[in-house]
Amino acid sequence: MAARSLAAFGAVLAVCLALTAATNPGFVVRITQAGLDYAHQHGITVLQKELAKLKLPDISGDFPVRRLGKVRYEISSLDLRSFHLPYSRISLVPNVGLQVAISNAFAEVDGNWRVKFHFIRDHGSFNLEVKNVYIKIDLKLGNDASGKPTVSTSACSTRISSVDVHFSGKFGWLYNLFYSAVESRFKKILESKVCDSVVRSVGGDLQHYLQTLPVTAKIDARAGIDYSLVAPPMATAQTLDVDLKGEFFSLAHRGAVPFPPPVLALPPDHDRMVYFGASSYFFNTAGFAYHAAGALVYEITDSMLDEMYPNMLMKLRLSAPSAPFLSITPGGISLQPVVDIQAYAILPNTSLAHLFLLSLTGNVSATIDVKSGHIVGKLTVGRMKLSLKHSDVGTFQVRMLQSIMNIYASSILLPRVNERLAEGFPLPLPDRIQLSNILVQFHQNFLLLGADVHYTPREHR
């Protein structure tokens, strides 16, 4: 019984460990307080415009006056001329989300009034000033089934400290009779309308914008990147972290990646608005995807080999026997790819005859940068070593082929690879975002990119 219990416990533990490993992100986006403040500025501008569009209902009622009866009043044609949000801030609420606090907001409303009191009837216009409006908004962050980020208003409260109404008309004493009733009702209506507008703006404009985050990015005809969220965004005391899958995949056939992502813990840097942490897993899935797609195959035609074998048409086929695996350390990015070189003789009937198989190994380093929202790179090849793996034509020295391969690698193969790397791979950015003030740092098992953000609002025609 004890053995069974121990085995069951081991099985559960193994499953838990497997699930834990599976949730490690391959890519992390970190938004600092500076980044949130920048986004908040644009969000408040949008909210201010939305609040200025509020439609206010007519107000009417009877106000009892002691020993005199009732005063019948009507307030109509309410026009909210402006709504200003001069002071606001956004705060991180650890393990919850975000909170937006707006203070000292104010608004102006114009309208018409009409009053009836016994035989007295009067009407006119009025101007109403709403002062010291306080709004608190709690935002809940999450992710949907497709891995896109979501946002909703989990709480909203509005408090209006004072309302000043200026009536035009002859009977000042009469207006004072129903002034308090109008003020009280107007406060309740506006407080409710403000939060309704907030909920609509968050669930509409903000949610729609977050949905522009590309969770799947097609790179070329062979591969794409999965940037779907693996968990809801996590707020800490200083940052908002978004864990993404960060995985390249073959468009032809998407299979399981045979290695897990390492733990990715970003350093506590706050100089930039946003940071991107790309783990070694992120880059190694690129090699795995392109290898699975058959993209890591190159051929040298016979014209390149005429000097070696002038009396024989030849073809060399270069392929990676396995996906290249790179490592990231504080010193940079490095890899040691292995390339198989199969030599063929091209027979008169155009069929191919195996001649020999070579193995090419070398040391490769990489430089990384960010341009136009893409991670770009450049490879530099160090010393290469060529060895004979198999021969159908007997043993021979590979020294001459060594020099040929050095020339081919430096003048043809490497420029071709670097040309593709110069096009880059897209970072997970929502619409109309540009990056500047780029920072590139290498850490153990991950690359850290920092940047400031510039958002370009959409032009309304």
Side-chain angles (χ1 to χ4, degrees), residues 199-220:
V199 171
R200 284 196 305 270
S201 185
V202 170
D205 296 333
L206 184 54
Q207 172 67 10
H208 177 74
Y209 182 71
L210 289 182
Q211 292 284 301
T212 66
L213 181 75
V215 296
T216 301
K218 183 180 178 181
I219 302 171
D220 50 35

Side-chain angles (χ1 to χ4, degrees), residues 83-84 86-87 102-107 129-135 158-164 187 191:
F83 209 123
H84 300 279
Y87 305 106
I102 301 169
S103 60
N104 297 327
F106 60 95
E129 295 180 359
V130 185
K131 299 179 181 179
N132 298 326
V133 182
Y134 297 88
I135 308 170
T158 304
R159 179 170 58 86
I160 299 173
S161 293
S162 64
V163 174
D164 293 337
K187 279 185 179 181
E191 287 171 352

